[in-house]
Amino acid sequence: MNVADCLFCKIVAKELGSEIVMETDNVLAFRDINPGAPTHVLVIPKEHIASAQELGSEHGTLLAEMFGVMADVAAGAGLDGGHRLVTNVGPDAGQSVHHLHFHVLGGRAMSWPPG
Ligand code: AMP
């Protein structure tokens, strides 16, 4: 897909509104528009990466920054009972936005396996 048409690139560029929770040099965290749990935050790289399938060793520093943001989001939301981190990759997993994102979900008990 064309990066210019990427929904999350537009959120990064602030061309599209979002409820931002946290922002670092390379990472943005904002609330999911259709929350699946009391806390549902998406954590994305500002750089366009289509999915986790595109990640390589060159993204190690970026991934550390993303996981740091995820931990801060969970702590900031008071998710003391735990939380779930999810990234969907491709059609079978139901990936609907082709810009890497981790879902940070919490605030309720969750079942396993997911649907
Ligand atoms: P996935 O299905 O794993 O690709 O996740 C994409 C997520 O993006 C879904 O949970 C959507 O609810 C969410 N989403 C789509 N558009 C927006 C938007 N404009 N602002 C915030 N979240 C969005």
Side-chain angles (χ1 to χ4, degrees):
M1 77 162 293
N2 189 337
V3 174
D5 295 330
C6 172
L7 184 69
F8 287 177
C9 284
K10 288 182 178 154
I11 286 178
V12 169
K14 315 261 165 79
E15 291 167 17
L16 204 64
S18 70
E19 194 180 333
I20 293 173
V21 174
M22 200 171 293
E23 182 167 10
T24 63
D25 285 350
N26 302 298
V27 178
L28 192 68
F30 55 96
R31 294 200 187 282
D32 196 293
I33 204 167
N34 185 22
T39 294
H40 189 171
V41 174
L42 301 175
V43 175
I44 71 169
K46 291 184 178 176
E47 165 193 355
H48 183 84
I49 298 170
S51 78
Q53 199 64 19
E54 311 298 317
L55 291 168
S57 55
E58 70 274 21
H59 297 111
T61 305
L62 172 64
L63 284 169
E65 192 172 324
M66 290 182 75
F67 275 87
V69 168
M70 287 187 254
D72 288 349
V73 165
L79 302 180
D80 301 330
H83 59 284
R84 183 169 289 171
L85 305 176
V86 176
T87 188
N88 293 316
V89 182
D92 278 2
Q95 184 180 6
S96 62
V97 178
H98 297 278
H99 182 128
L100 176 65
H101 51 282
F102 286 89
H103 299 255
V104 181
L105 295 150
R108 65 169 170 81
M110 290 176 208
S111 58
W112 191 264

